[in-house]
Amino acid sequence: AGPLRELADAAAVADPRIRWLAERARAWRDRGEKTLVFTAHRETLELVREEVGRLAHVAIAVFHEDLPTTRRDVEVAQFRLPSGPSVLISTECGGEGRNFQFCTRLVLFDLPWDPVVVEQRIGRLDRIGRREPVRIVYFRPPSGIAATVADLHRDLGLFEEPLGGLETELAEVRPALAEAAAAGRDALEPAVRDALVARTGAARDRIREAAYHELHRDPYRPELADAILARVPEDLEELTEEVVVTALERLGLHVERQRGVATYGVEFGNRAVVESLPGVPGGSAFVGTFDRREGVEDEGLDFFAAGHALVEGVLAHLEETLRGRVGLIHLADSGETGFGLAAFHRVDGRLRAVVVDLEGRDRRDWAERLLRHPLRTRRPRPESWIRQPEWGVLIRSLAARLEGLGRPEAVAAVRIGD
């Protein structure tokens, strides 16, 4: 093991990529610049971390698939701090889902043959709102198939601009390189290389033309802005927080309030009554906020809103299961008191409510309030409702008075007043 270790150490020191990183790491730290380094393999990550740390005497953060989720969050959070490590080395598991927009540069320690993987790496930094171009560093060997990979990626424009939407064309690159390598060739056949570059360039031009056409086909009209914004509820974020957090707690997921505005940690835990949610596999964990401003200021947080996997998963679960079609609604902003049962129907694409009270009267005034926007409610305590004597008998008797109206979209017990 001794001689083998000595050979490995000698190879590491002789690697010009490691020397290049070590020579610059201290200057990056002194200038307050953050650098994300990608490696394909865990072993390479450990080698680079150990040697650059030893040669440059700088702290280095790491991100790889064998770290627990909480430890990954800690590594990224420390890396994000101005006083934290100036370099983070990541395997491919950092290529998706993480936002490293705050980094100055991206170092591709190795260069994958698949340009889509390279695009994903670059996409961790090159995100909407970035004000400075991403500084991309890659290492071109003097010869061999690896040099061909670097040259081909360069000619495809991979290091100059995003190649989103070109997955079909880029999917041909890796098989072409693999075929050349299997045949013992250090380069692609000129005709193959030219065809790959031409097809990718033509597809990029089509996308640009289509995007320009769509952007200018129906231009923005300032006079419509107020009407559009008026459709967004003022308390949308608070409403989303209330609905999602309540649903997560009812489903038995572990929900823990974190520091920050409307910020939570969420994981399935061992008390969850569901193994997964639509689009959210079991075992997933999230740390995020329902507050838009907080999400923008702290890019390490997920923004829990429409489109986020957890929010969409909760809403899809509620829509697809009976659990999401029954509920308790407490309207407290009223001078009267009462109790009833509401049925919600979809009529010609619009929601309609029908409510009966304890005397069996049709309460259209209550129905109008339930459909009023925004709906001002209090969070009910289910145990204080359903544990009342004859609760089930009461609900079934009120439901009988709603029969004949067709199958409702949802049903809710309604309490008016305190």
Side-chain angles (χ1 to χ4, degrees):
L4 183 60
R5 175 65 183 179
E6 291 177 1
L7 287 174
D9 292 342
V13 173
D15 191 327
R17 298 173 296 176
I18 290 180
R19 293 203 310 271
W20 187 91
L21 286 170
E23 290 169 358
R24 289 159 177 79
R26 295 182 69 179
W28 294 339
R29 180 197 62 190
D30 295 342
R31 293 197 298 265
E33 298 176 352
K34 301 291 185 176
T35 299
L36 176 62
V37 180
F38 263 113
T39 67
H41 304 291
R42 167 77 185 281
E43 295 78 9
T44 307
L45 179 151
E46 295 296 346
L47 175 64
V48 176
R49 179 193 61 79
E50 180 178 345
E51 292 302 319
V52 173
R54 181 178 64 84
L55 295 172
H57 303 288
V58 296
I60 297 176
V62 296
F63 191 100
H64 55 76
E65 53 277 1
D66 293 330
L67 285 178
T69 301
T70 53
R71 185 62 199 174
R72 297 186 202 179
D73 293 337
V74 169
E75 291 285 323
V76 173
Q78 292 179 341
F79 178 51
R80 187 184 301 274
L81 294 173
S83 59
S86 58
V87 176
L88 182 143
I89 308 175
S90 174
T91 57
E92 223 63 71
C93 73
E96 294 184 6
R98 290 282 174 169
N99 184 350
F100 292 102
Q101 186 179 22
F102 60 92
C103 291
T104 300
R105 69 182 55 78
L106 171 69
V107 176
L108 303 169
F109 190 83
D110 46 45
L111 198 56
W113 289 13
D114 188 346
V116 174
V117 175
V118 180
E119 175 76 7
Q120 289 173 347
R121 292 181 174 186
I122 297 173
R124 297 305 92 217
L125 280 70
D126 191 14
R127 305 174 73 87
I128 295 175
R130 186 180 179 93
R131 298 181 179 180
E132 297 181 0
V134 178
R135 302 180 192 177
I136 302 174
V137 177
Y138 66 96
F139 303 95
R140 182 191 182 280
S143 60
I145 191 67
T148 297
V149 172
D151 292 344
L152 180 58
H153 288 353
R154 178 200 62 207
D155 294 339
L156 291 171
L158 189 58
F159 307 120
E160 301 297 328
E161 59 182 308
L163 299 184
L166 302 178
E167 288 77 8
T168 300
E169 289 72 23
L170 296 179
E172 303 177 18
V173 172
R174 190 177 185 282
L177 291 168
E179 182 179 350
R185 300 192 303 270
D186 288 341
L188 296 175
E189 295 289 345
V192 174
R193 178 200 165 280
D194 293 345
L196 289 172
V197 174
R199 281 197 293 271
T200 302
R204 183 192 296 112
D205 291 342
R206 289 196 302 271
I207 290 176
R208 285 175 178 165
E209 183 178 350
Y212 181 87
H213 175 74
E214 290 299 321
L215 287 173
H216 293 273
R217 181 179 62 175
D218 190 10
Y220 169 68
R221 294 163 56 189
E223 64 272 17
L224 298 179
D226 291 342
I228 294 174
L229 292 175
R231 299 175 62 184
V232 181
E234 294 182 3
D235 59 348
L236 177 60
E237 293 171 3
E238 293 81 358
L239 179 61
T240 303
E241 177 184 359
E242 180 178 354
V243 171
V244 173
V245 171
T246 300
L248 291 172
E249 292 174 345
R250 296 286 185 267
L251 293 173
L253 274 70
H254 180 66
V255 181
E256 183 176 354
R257 190 67 184 259
Q258 306 286 320
R259 291 183 178 180
V261 181
T263 302
Y264 297 83
V266 179
E267 58 183 339
F268 275 79
N270 56 10
R271 295 185 178 181
V273 300
V274 293
E275 295 183 355
S276 64
L277 294 170
V280 184
S284 297
F286 304 89
V287 177
T289 177
F290 291 91
D291 183 81
R292 182 180 301 274
R293 180 172 297 180
E294 182 82 358
V296 171
E297 292 178 352
D298 187 347
E299 296 176 349
L301 296 174
D302 286 5
F303 177 43
F304 295 142
H308 187 277
L310 181 62
V311 175
E312 294 295 332
V314 168
L315 297 180
H317 177 81
L318 295 178
E319 183 176 356
E320 296 170 3
T321 65
L322 292 178
R323 190 188 302 271
R325 298 182 182 274
V326 295
L328 310 174
I329 301 177
H330 190 175
L331 301 175
D333 56 339
S334 174
E336 64 176 325
T337 60
F339 184 88
L341 187 67
F344 297 89
H345 298 264
R346 186 77 61 179
V347 180
D348 296 330
R350 302 186 64 180
L351 199 62
R352 178 191 173 196
V354 180
V355 187
V356 294
D357 62 15
L358 286 174
E359 286 71 39
R361 294 175 298 182
D362 183 2
R363 297 303 302 261
R364 296 187 180 183
D365 53 336
W366 292 3
E368 291 177 359
R369 291 186 60 192
L370 289 174
L371 298 179
R372 192 177 301 162
H373 184 76
L375 180 62
R376 304 294 182 182
T377 65
R378 290 175 53 181
R379 177 180 285 195
R381 293 185 295 114
E383 61 276 5
S384 67
W385 293 42
I386 63 178
R387 290 179 182 174
Q388 297 179 28
E390 304 299 326
W391 168 260
V393 174
L394 172 63
I395 295 301
R396 283 191 289 272
S397 66
L398 293 178
R401 300 177 184 273
L402 294 171
E403 291 181 356
L405 300 177
R407 183 179 178 83
E409 293 276 329
V411 176
V414 180
R415 177 177 291 177
I416 303 294
D418 294 329

